[in-house]
Amino acid sequence: MDFSLIFSQIINGLQTGSVYALVALGYSMVYGIILLLNFAHGDIIMVGAYTAFYAITSFHLHPLLAVLLEVIVSTVLGVVIEKVAYTPLRSAPRLSLLITAIGISFLLENGAQLLFGADTKSMDPIVSGNMTLFGASVSYAALLTIAVSVISMLILTFLVQKTKLGKAMRAVSEDMGAAQLMGISLNKTISFTFAVGSALAGVGSILYLCAYPQASPTMGSMLGLKAFVAAVLGGIGSIPGAMIGGFAIGLLEALVSAARLSMWKDGVVFAILIVVLLVKPTGILGRKITEKV
Amino acid sequence: MKKFLAMFLALVMVVGLVACGGGNNNPSGGGAQTNTDGQNNTDGNNSGGDDSQQPSGGSGDGEIVVAFIGNTTGDYAQYGIPVRNSVQLYINQLNDKGGINGKQVKVLEYDDKGDGVEAVNAFNLALDNGATAIIGSVLSGPSMALADATYEVNMPQISASATAAGYTMIDADDPNSEIRTNAFRACFIDPFQGEKMADYAVNKLGAQTAGILYEMGVDYSEGLMAAFEEKAGELGLEIVAKEAYATGDKDFKAQITNIAAQNPDIVYAPVYYGEAGLAITQARQAGLTATFVGGDGYGSIKDYASAEDLEGTVYCSGYAPGTESVAQFEADYEAAYGEPVPNMFAPLAYDAAMLMCNALEAAENAGLEAGTDDYKQAVIDALAATNGVEGVTGSYAFDEYNNPIKSAAIIELTGGNEQFKEMY
């Protein structure tokens, strides 16, 4: 293995990892604020991919317009799911919320199958072409993917750390009751969190389409699960953690495949979940939460 | 809370593992394209197999009885129905032209529902009803079960689409295995495609180095890959990279990068169209410009990658849609059944019916009595002696394993279309 080959494989890993990271951010944020594992999150990506597919192939929108529309649809879908399915259950036991999330996930997958058909829809890649970097051929799609995800994370960090809404989010995640007493609107803050998470999923969906220009009803489920593992690995609830977890899972997958062990790719990812849960259940950057009695 | 989370995560993992282990349900017949909508079952024929047909009482009454056995209902009916239609189409045309030596050919139709036991039951019924030859079955599994039964009584049998080597060979892994001398097929078997494309890559594309990308654990992909590799070794085509992926993967970038590092002249990727399209897209993104070469699983690949990325990709097919030799067949099929030819099973079935009727004619010419052992042997001998008979899908002869020796249609992707290039 020479340097350029290793470099290419690292780029491959970072490209896949970027998508995982963006999806993992959505998982992490929602979990951080209402302790819900939003399993419909992966399927938001699927809906986003279909939106982009139809916008480009059927309505011949400019790719940039299609991306914008796609992110808006994802965001709205995320908020609608939150309002319709999760808000009425806010005071219900956690398990009810979780089962609802799985139900929504099935609803979206099967709804898409009904609406768009079970077959895979394929489109031309949104970004094509490649350049040579350090003796290795790197696609523009890969560079764009990595850049967009890093920029998204910077914006998100700014949003959470520096803005009023971000402050409200952090407050709600720390203590929901106290935040409410301080005059923070719970509904608004939670909806905002869902909106941001879903918008990131929308961006992730576009980046996914850059790498694999196909949409199918079940594309979100495996992607969602892997992103979830990434979120757990990084420390669920932590924004930089989700990013690190995503990149780590992506790199690991690329290296496992490069070593001709692609049969074990999924196995390795889920084995990591086991190891993390056994050794450090809070993940790399997770906070240690002491249960109050 | 933590405990609950941990428990839930364990549950997620189980779901994940189940999702990973999803099986591969591809039917045996290559990467045939399916067009499941609009299957119109125009005729009111018996599909149950136990409707008693009128016994013909052997020959003598100016009728030759042939049985079609195939799955016209059930999961893979989209393969069986075109086969049934094409057999009917050929035999109706033959009868309109006066049949075989003035005798009409009568087709008994039995539905085996894609099941080996049903196929054998249907065969026993066909025997009771005086059948002198069998056309069927459609899927490899029931075809093999049926061949076991026909071999015992030396009944001539031809399948349009059974691709498994074990259909004509009792033990497919043993090259010296006993051959079911009575069983023939109209399609080529999987390894044949691999050999053909290795040959084509060396002699027509001038390739000296090749990369391989295949799907692990899938008979079709592994079979083609192994045959390609073996033939490449014989021809001096060097395999510089051999990569695999697992069923369900969409990300081949790591494997493609390994292949690209060796910069081969061609990449042989015997996979189905969806994955092939993704692989080609990802290859072009990784700067791999080698020509992609595939098997009949590439049918309709044009919808799964951009025209620019696909340019120059070649694959072999049992059937070249839209070429002159098949135009007449396509027109006839559409006129008879009100839908275009749905997949390559239809023309192969038309050829299978033609080969069988030619052989029956030889036995009739010899003046033998239908149903006798001599008659059956004469049909089998005539089939085995087939040489250069022109069918819709190419010119036919049979090798010692009763597999057709025929040219494959080479399809090339030009300007986003799947163009027939040449017979090879």
Side-chain angles (χ1 to χ4, degrees):
Chain A
M1 278 243 219
D2 57 323
F3 170 72
S4 69
L5 185 59
I6 295 172
F7 180 71
S8 304
Q9 297 294 16
I10 289 175
I11 294 286
N12 289 338
L14 288 179
Q15 184 182 0
T16 320
S18 300
V19 179
Y20 290 152
L22 284 177
V23 183
L25 282 173
Y27 269 113
S28 231
M29 285 170 62
V30 169
Y31 183 82
I33 200 153
I34 53 169
L35 299 180
L36 161 71
L37 294 168
N38 182 13
F39 274 89
H41 197 62
D43 298 296
I44 291 177
I45 290 173
M46 179 269 298
V47 174
Y50 272 105
T51 310
F53 171 80
Y54 282 108
I56 291 174
T57 58
S58 301
F59 299 102
H60 304 289
L61 289 187
H62 187 275
L64 278 179
L65 264 174
V67 169
L68 196 68
L69 177 74
E70 192 267 312
V71 174
I72 292 171
V73 168
S74 303
T75 310
V76 171
L77 180 67
V79 176
V80 167
I81 290 173
E82 191 261 327
K83 286 280 172 232
V84 173
Y86 304 147
T87 306
L89 292 173
R90 193 162 299 151
S91 55
R94 251 345 128 234
L95 195 61
S96 315
L97 260 177
L98 198 67
I99 292 167
T100 311
I102 294 172
I104 293 285
S105 165
F106 278 115
L107 177 77
L108 289 177
E109 275 175 32
N110 291 299
Q113 205 155 329
L114 202 66
L115 230 82
F116 310 123
D119 56 327
T120 303
K121 302 263 187 273
S122 186
M123 59 192 271
D124 286 353
I126 303 170
V127 183
S128 58
N130 47 348
M131 59 182 287
T132 308
L133 206 68
F134 302 120
S137 174
V138 179
S139 68
Y140 291 129
L143 294 178
L144 183 81
T145 303
I146 297 167
V148 166
S149 68
V150 171
I151 292 169
S152 303
M153 192 193 127
L154 291 178
I155 294 175
L156 184 67
T157 310
F158 173 80
L159 199 75
V160 171
Q161 299 297 337
K162 304 283 178 203
T163 63
K164 233 175 179 174
L165 267 168
K167 212 175 203 176
M169 272 165 70
R170 281 182 290 142
V172 172
S173 97
E174 214 136 275
D175 192 325
M176 207 181 264
Q180 212 167 5
L181 288 175
M182 295 299 131
I184 293 171
S185 160
L186 217 52
N187 285 335
K188 228 168 93 186
T189 312
I190 292 175
S191 293
F192 179 71
T193 310
F194 269 88
V196 173
S198 305
L200 287 172
V203 174
S205 158
I206 285 293
L207 298 179
Y208 182 90
L209 281 182
C210 284
Y212 327 103
Q214 292 187 347
S216 67
T218 51
M219 62 184 273
S221 64
M222 199 33 130
L223 181 62
L225 281 179
K226 296 238 179 103
F228 173 66
V229 176
V232 173
L233 173 64
I236 199 151
S238 151
I239 289 170
M243 208 70 190
I244 291 171
F247 282 133
I249 296 287
L251 276 174
L252 193 80
E253 277 196 2
L255 296 180
V256 167
S257 299
R260 297 190 171 73
L261 296 171
S262 55
M263 207 70 163
W264 293 95
K265 199 167 77 175
D266 294 346
V268 168
V269 171
F270 291 109
I272 288 206
L273 184 58
I274 300 177
V275 172
V276 171
L277 291 180
L278 285 177
V279 177
K280 196 170 189 303
T282 49
I284 299 172
L285 296 180
R287 288 170 299 174
K288 184 134 185 74
I289 303 164
T290 40
E291 294 265 325
K292 288 171 217 119
V293 186
Chain B
M1 189 57 229
K2 214 166 80 187
K3 209 187 223 167
F4 163 68
L5 180 65
M7 253 171 64
F8 180 72
L9 295 184
L11 180 80
V12 166
M13 226 149 49
V14 171
V15 172
L17 288 177
V18 170
C20 297
N24 183 312
N25 293 325
N26 288 316
S28 67
Q33 266 322 283
T34 58
N35 178 2
T36 46
D37 48 8
Q39 299 169 355
N40 54 343
N41 201 340
T42 47
D43 50 358
N45 268 306
N46 64 317
S47 55
D50 38 20
D51 280 44
S52 59
Q53 298 277 340
Q54 292 171 346
S56 76
S59 68
D61 57 354
E63 224 175 32
I64 300 169
V65 184
V66 172
F68 161 77
I69 300 172
N71 55 326
T72 47
T73 60
D75 280 349
Y76 296 116
Q78 72 263 35
Y79 302 126
I81 289 169
V83 171
R84 198 261 327 269
N85 288 351
S86 292
V87 170
Q88 276 178 353
L89 180 65
Y90 178 81
I91 289 179
N92 288 342
Q93 288 175 348
L94 184 72
N95 285 339
D96 289 346
K97 282 186 267 176
I100 297 174
N101 292 353
K103 290 184 183 174
Q104 292 284 297
V105 180
K106 180 177 168 184
V107 188
L108 307 178
E109 295 178 4
Y110 300 97
D111 179 14
D112 66 19
K113 306 176 183 77
D115 181 80
V117 176
E118 294 272 356
V120 174
N121 289 344
F123 172 62
N124 290 331
L125 272 168
L127 272 185
D128 291 346
N129 290 322
T132 55
I134 306 291
I135 301 176
S137 178
V138 176
L139 305 180
S140 283
S143 298
M144 283 193 269
L146 188 57
D148 273 337
T150 57
Y151 185 49
E152 273 176 34
V153 295
N154 204 33
M155 171 67 83
Q157 180 189 357
I158 188 164
S159 167
S161 51
T163 52
Y167 163 60
T168 59
M169 293 168 82
I170 301 230
D171 178 5
D173 295 327
D174 173 12
N176 301 316
S177 144
E178 192 180 340
I179 307 296
R180 293 193 186 94
T181 45
N182 67 313
F184 296 80
R185 66 178 118 216
C187 56
F188 40 54
I189 62 171
D190 290 348
F192 175 86
Q193 296 189 43
E195 291 169 16
K196 208 70 180 177
M197 290 323 276
D199 201 342
Y200 187 82
V202 171
N203 292 320
K204 291 280 181 169
L205 301 175
Q208 288 173 353
T209 53
I212 290 179
L213 178 71
Y214 70 101
E215 185 171 344
M216 257 181 290
V218 174
D219 288 347
Y220 172 72
S221 191
E222 290 196 342
L224 264 65
M225 187 277 294
F228 179 90
E229 205 179 10
E230 199 184 326
K231 189 77 177 177
E234 280 173 34
L235 297 171
L237 175 66
E238 194 192 346
I239 309 289
V240 291
K242 187 173 147 187
E243 296 287 334
Y245 64 86
T247 302
D249 276 3
K250 294 211 179 300
D251 177 24
F252 317 126
K253 289 196 298 290
Q255 290 92 327
I256 297 265
T257 303
N258 281 350
I259 295 174
Q262 304 297 330
N263 198 23
D265 295 334
I266 63 151
V267 175
Y268 185 60
V271 297
Y272 290 99
Y273 50 90
E275 284 75 23
L278 274 178
I280 291 171
T281 304
Q282 291 173 23
R284 300 305 177 233
Q285 286 183 348
L288 176 62
T289 52
T291 303
F292 268 75
V293 176
D296 57 6
Y298 276 30
S300 85
I301 194 175
K302 64 179 161 60
D303 300 329
Y304 290 86
S306 73
E308 193 190 332
D309 289 347
L310 283 172
E311 192 70 23
T313 298
V314 285
Y315 67 91
C316 67
S317 167
Y319 162 61
T323 57
E324 251 173 65
S325 65
V326 297
Q328 183 63 42
F329 166 72
E330 289 180 330
D332 291 348
Y333 188 96
E334 188 156 4
Y337 300 105
E339 56 162 356
V341 171
N343 51 40
M344 73 173 182
F345 285 71
L348 285 171
Y350 191 82
D351 283 354
M354 177 206 68
L355 290 166
M356 185 55 90
C357 288
N358 282 355
L360 286 167
E361 190 176 354
E364 289 287 326
N365 285 341
L368 297 164
E369 190 187 337
T372 61
D373 288 347
D374 285 347
Y375 185 94
K376 289 188 279 194
Q377 191 56 46
V379 175
I380 291 166
D381 290 344
L383 269 172
T386 301
N387 194 1
V389 174
E390 285 296 328
V392 170
T393 64
S395 146
Y396 276 93
F398 288 100
D399 68 8
E400 72 260 42
Y401 300 111
N402 287 356
N403 296 324
I405 304 166
K406 63 180 208 180
S407 35
I410 302 292
I411 314 281
E412 186 180 30
L413 274 290
T414 36
N417 285 314
E418 293 173 28
Q419 297 275 350
F420 170 70
K421 194 175 178 201
E422 58 190 318
M423 296 303 288
Y424 186 75

